[in-house]
Amino acid sequence: MLREDMVDDEGLATAELDELAALLQDRRAKDLGEAEHLAESLGVVLSARGESADDEHDPEGPTLSYEWSRLQALRGETADDIVAVDAALARIEEGTYGRCMRCDRMIGVERLRARPTAELCIACAMTVDG
């Protein structure tokens, strides 16, 4: 039996909710900082691409096209994380944070500490992932 099954159905204590909200706010601030850094890096690459006629044959390292693609992918991941954090913060405001969106059982504070944006309990997440 999963430890998750032993979590009571009463919800998170106020102190736990405050702790998790602070984790989410901190993560959001870091994501915003990373997004700003990535935007600056993309500007540098864009400028360099405009100056270079043939970056595909540069023996000095990764091509500018590769770097652009890499930074765009990181930017997308950061944007997705901001959306997930904002959704978790909205669930806190609505009073639904910590409840599985599939089965409506409590997710468990330890899982939320590890993955504060979790929307599913471990049992439901295992059926989705596995």
Side-chain angles (χ1 to χ4, degrees), residues 10-71:
E10 293 186 24
L12 298 167
T14 302
E16 293 168 334
L17 205 51
D18 290 345
E19 170 194 349
L20 293 163
L23 280 173
L24 288 162
Q25 291 289 358
D26 183 55
R27 184 164 161 176
R28 189 174 197 287
K30 287 177 183 174
D31 281 345
L32 290 173
E34 180 67 11
E36 185 177 319
H37 173 73
L38 288 168
E40 291 169 5
S41 296
L42 281 164
V44 170
V45 171
L46 182 61
S47 175
R49 284 178 82 180
E51 297 169 6
S52 175
D54 184 15
D55 80 316
E56 296 299 323
H57 298 95
D58 182 0
E60 297 298 318
T63 64
L64 293 173
S65 295
Y66 168 81
E67 188 64 12
W68 178 266
S69 295
R70 186 184 74 80
L71 291 170

